[in-house]
Amino acid sequence: DGTTSTIAGLHGWQDAPAAVAHAAGTNAYGHHSATPYLTLPAHPGGTHLLVTLVVLSADPEVNDGDPHARCSGTRVRVTGAGEVEIRFPDGTRERVPR
């Protein structure tokens, strides 16, 4: 139906491999599904902050071209206190307090 999903590790996912889980007849979104995911190669122990961007869209302008372009321009900043600020390409900002 033209819907695509992209996942990007914005913070804490250094060298994390990406993969896609394919399934048939297992969810409400349709008979066939493909879900992207990241796997952390090893947990460093203690608390580890992971910031992940998931883009789900059926907009042809978003879905055309390079799939990595869907996430380009999105920036993340983590403060020393653990607050996360995400800036999207359109200028929208989201803050997640610790």
Side-chain angles (χ1 to χ4, degrees), residues 25-90:
T26 60
N27 68 56
Y29 292 106
H31 184 72
H32 295 281
S33 64
T35 306
Y37 65 93
L38 298 171
T39 303
L40 196 61
H43 192 287
T47 301
H48 188 71
L49 178 65
L50 300 170
V51 180
T52 310
L53 174 67
V54 177
V55 179
L56 178 63
S57 180
D59 182 343
E61 290 189 24
V62 172
N63 294 334
D64 284 348
D66 181 2
H68 299 288
R70 294 180 200 134
C71 304
S72 67
T74 302
R75 301 289 179 255
V76 65
R77 183 176 70 87
V78 178
T79 69
E83 179 181 68
V84 176
E85 179 182 87
I86 302 171
R87 294 182 193 180
F88 296 96
D90 68 358

Side-chain angles (χ1 to χ4, degrees), residues 15-27:
D15 301 321
V20 178
H22 298 273
T26 60
N27 68 56

